[in-house]
Amino acid sequence: SSIRLYNVDQEDSISHWSEKFSLYVFESTGMVNCKISHNKIYTICINITTTSSGLSKIIKLLPSMAIINKSSVEIEIIETISGIEQNEWQLIKPEQIIPFWPCDMKEGIMNVRYSYSRMIPSSFMMNIKHRTLLRMNDEDHPVLHVQVSITDFFGIHIIFNDYKIGHAPILLINCLKNQEISYNQKDDTQIQILSSQHYVYYTWNNPFKPHKLLVSSNGQNKEIEFHV
């Protein structure tokens, strides 16, 4: 069997037939590609199961990538390739789920911003499994939690959430007496100060730079590497 995609507003098909897949299986999970013009590819997740009677097949079709906004604010997302925005910004309201069809999963970079803000957006990788806090340059909502999950059947789910304690990748505690410490992400020029007997939740200024924290105090320096 094969599938192809249609435009809901037009009767003409918008894709070529996908590669073939078999229905003569008891249970199967996989992906097929539907190509359209401009070399764009729509990847569809296919899950095939058999009913308890063994007489019917249940075939579920899902987009290979879905964006889920569980935060309390409207956000906009867009893909970039070599720093160039692809297509248009897509609005996602709170509790909304939309399919997303990337142009280039190899580079896999997505930008996100709040719908009411035109500040510089935050970027992250959408093709690897991870979670992080994004700095959003906004006074009311300074950070946004993003989680990228990847499974065989559901494909890639990108989930945005409001910040909660525990989302930050680092809790930095200064237990020194009468000595402050300075810290910054490696290859980042923004140095911050943490006073004695204080603590701070920290996230990376730039998710694409090394996940290493440089800590200095009283002339001594330490580089700490964090593994995702």
Side-chain angles (χ1 to χ4, degrees):
S1 299
S2 298
I3 63 172
R4 64 178 177 179
L5 303 180
Y6 283 80
N7 190 319
V8 294
D9 298 322
Q10 301 176 5
E11 294 184 357
D12 296 335
S13 63
I14 64 169
S15 79
H16 300 292
W17 287 101
S18 71
E19 59 266 46
K20 293 184 178 181
F21 57 93
S22 176
L23 296 179
Y24 297 100
V25 293
F26 183 78
E27 184 175 352
S28 176
T29 298
M31 296 188 182
V32 296
N33 297 310
C34 297
K35 296 182 180 180
I36 62 172
S37 58
H38 311 299
N39 295 322
K40 187 169 184 178
I41 298 176
Y42 288 86
T43 302
I44 307 296
C45 299
I46 299 180
N47 178 256
I48 303 173
T49 56
T50 305
T51 59
S52 57
S53 65
L55 299 177
S56 301
K57 299 291 184 182
I58 302 174
I59 304 173
K60 297 179 181 179
L61 306 177
L62 292 171
S64 62
M65 180 177 290
I67 313 296
I68 305 169
N69 183 11
K70 292 186 177 181
S71 75
S72 59
V73 295
E74 291 184 348
I75 60 174
E76 294 178 335
I77 54 101
I78 197 170
E79 179 186 7
T80 61
I81 299 177
S82 300
I84 300 175
E85 295 179 352
Q86 306 297 308
N87 301 316
E88 298 180 353
W89 287 88
Q90 296 187 46
L91 175 68
I92 314 175
K93 297 180 179 180
E95 301 302 326
Q96 185 180 9
I97 303 174
I98 67 168
F100 188 78
W101 309 100
C103 298
D104 183 5
M105 279 303 295
K106 291 183 178 180
E107 185 163 339
I109 296 179
M110 178 175 286
N111 285 3
V112 60
R113 68 186 182 189
Y114 297 132
S115 62
Y116 57 81
S117 174
R118 291 298 181 266
M119 299 290 289
I120 298 175
S122 293
S123 304
F124 63 94
M125 297 297 297
M126 60 179 174
N127 59 359
I128 58 174
K129 183 178 180 180
H130 70 103
R131 64 172 65 193
T132 191
L133 274 182
L134 301 174
R135 296 181 182 269
M136 297 300 292
N137 300 310
D138 184 81
E139 185 175 346
D140 295 327
H141 300 89
V143 291
L144 182 67
H145 181 260
V146 59
Q147 177 179 350
V148 181
S149 62
I150 303 176
T151 63
D152 291 336
F153 171 50
F154 292 109
I156 300 176
H157 280 184
I158 300 176
I159 306 170
F160 295 99
N161 267 298
D162 293 330
Y163 168 74
K164 296 178 181 178
I165 293 178
H167 282 168
I170 298 173
L171 170 59
L172 188 61
I173 305 173
N174 183 3
C175 298
L176 301 176
K177 291 185 178 181
N178 303 319
Q179 290 187 24
E180 61 184 20
I181 63 174
S182 62
Y183 60 96
N184 64 288
Q185 183 179 1
K186 187 175 182 180
D187 297 337
D188 187 81
T189 58
Q190 183 177 348
I191 299 177
Q192 298 173 267
I193 302 297
L194 183 60
S195 300
S196 173
Q197 307 296 306
H198 284 70
Y199 69 90
V200 65
Y201 288 99
Y202 178 82
T203 189
W204 308 110
N205 281 339
N206 189 332
F208 298 98
K209 290 184 177 180
H211 286 189
K212 297 180 180 180
L213 193 67
L214 304 181
V215 181
S216 301
S217 179
N218 198 27
Q220 296 183 341
N221 304 311
K222 179 69 175 180
E223 179 180 297
I224 307 171
E225 183 174 4
F226 295 83
H227 298 281
V228 179

